[in-house]
Amino acid sequence: MSQTAKYPPEVNTLYERLKREAEAGGYTLNPDKEFTLSLVQGLIDNEKRFGYMACPCRLAYGEKDKDIDIICPCYYRDQDLEEFGACYCCLYVNEDWTSGRKPHKSIPDRRPPEFVLSGFSEPAASIETTGTSKSIGPLPYPVWRCKVCGYLAARNEPPGVCPVCKAKKDRFERFI
Amino acid sequence: MNFTHVPGTNNKHKVTLYALSTCGWCRKTKELLDSQNVEYDYIYVDQCQGEERTRATAAVRELNPRGSFPTLKIDDEVVAGFDEERILELLA
Ligand code: SF4
């Protein structure tokens, strides 16, 4: 049986989409397709349970505000890619990992352990939509920062979807 | 807590696995135990609710203060994360 045949079509569809988006944004999905498909199945299970794709390898709290840091791609992904060549779940990997320069092992979670019980503790909603264009000091526009990948956008409101990592609007913070 | 028992011919050790049903490393840990025919008990903490979930997360954090998954207990040793070598060593 082929790897893909074991999973329902929705898993394969999401896999293809994530792969496309990853590559367009300069990221790489784990080439171990069997492993990756099982994580994509986990993302779909979580989406059905919670309404958002909580990280498959972390215990979600079950409320969006409290899980906002671990909605995939999580706030920890890019740092983990830098340090370990893979994100915590190993859904995303980089050259260091595929080439074997970094070991193919599970890595420590950089999410603070107290979040496991109480969820994300950062003050909620750093995004307030400005409505009208406000001038901040000499800047004609506020600057929004994607908390997943660091993409910056100077405009009245954060982008609906991050053009680099596809994180949604609610995962931007006001940067300047 | 509601553990699922997996029978196996290799029953020299008391093996308990705290896992998430959606996690790739938890799945690899289960597959490794299965491939070694190990007898063990496991619980999917993400599928627990209320009181049981509170008890399960407390048990995990007592074994592994990071509260991460998989958390595997083999006799009195704890393996946090998927560490094939260490698991095989402890099962030997
Ligand atoms: S990027 Fe990786 S570690 Fe982060 S939520 Fe997605 S699968 Fe999990």
Side-chain angles (χ1 to χ4, degrees), chain A residues 54-137:
Chain A
C55 179
C57 298
R58 292 178 167 112
L59 184 64
Y61 190 86
E63 285 173 26
K64 195 173 179 193
D65 296 355
K66 303 209 158 184
D67 290 333
I68 193 87
D69 59 324
I70 54 163
I71 294 176
C72 190
C74 59
Y75 291 170
Y76 313 102
R77 175 184 68 172
D78 289 24
Q79 265 180 291
D80 282 338
L81 282 168
E82 258 330 290
E83 187 173 346
F84 300 104
C87 71
Y88 182 62
C89 292
C90 246
L91 176 64
Y92 293 93
V93 298
N94 68 16
E95 239 307 280
D96 283 340
W97 195 90
T98 43
S99 67
R101 276 195 296 277
K102 299 273 169 142
H104 293 190
K105 276 187 141 184
S106 64
I107 62 171
D109 191 358
R110 73 174 68 241
R111 187 186 204 223
E114 54 278 13
F115 289 12
V116 176
L117 294 185
S118 48
F120 191 57
S121 66
E122 202 180 70
S126 43
I127 293 174
E128 342 125 2
T129 39
T130 47
T132 55
S133 164
K134 250 194 270 162
S135 163
I136 310 130

Side-chain angles (χ1 to χ4, degrees), chain A residues 34-35 38-39 42 45-46 49 56-60 88-90 106 109 111 113 116-117, chain B residues 20-25 27-28 45-47 53 57 61 65-69 81-83:
Chain A
E34 169 61 32
F35 184 83
S38 79
L39 287 172
D45 292 348
N46 281 346
R49 279 198 274 197
C57 298
R58 292 178 167 112
L59 184 64
Y88 182 62
C89 292
C90 246
S106 64
D109 191 358
R111 187 186 204 223
V116 176
L117 294 185
Chain B
L20 301 178
S21 66
T22 49
C23 169
W25 296 112
R27 195 170 71 108
K28 276 196 177 282
V45 178
D46 59 316
Q47 291 178 346
R53 184 174 162 120
T57 47
R61 295 205 58 177
R66 294 214 58 97
S68 60
F69 297 89
F82 176 68
D83 184 342

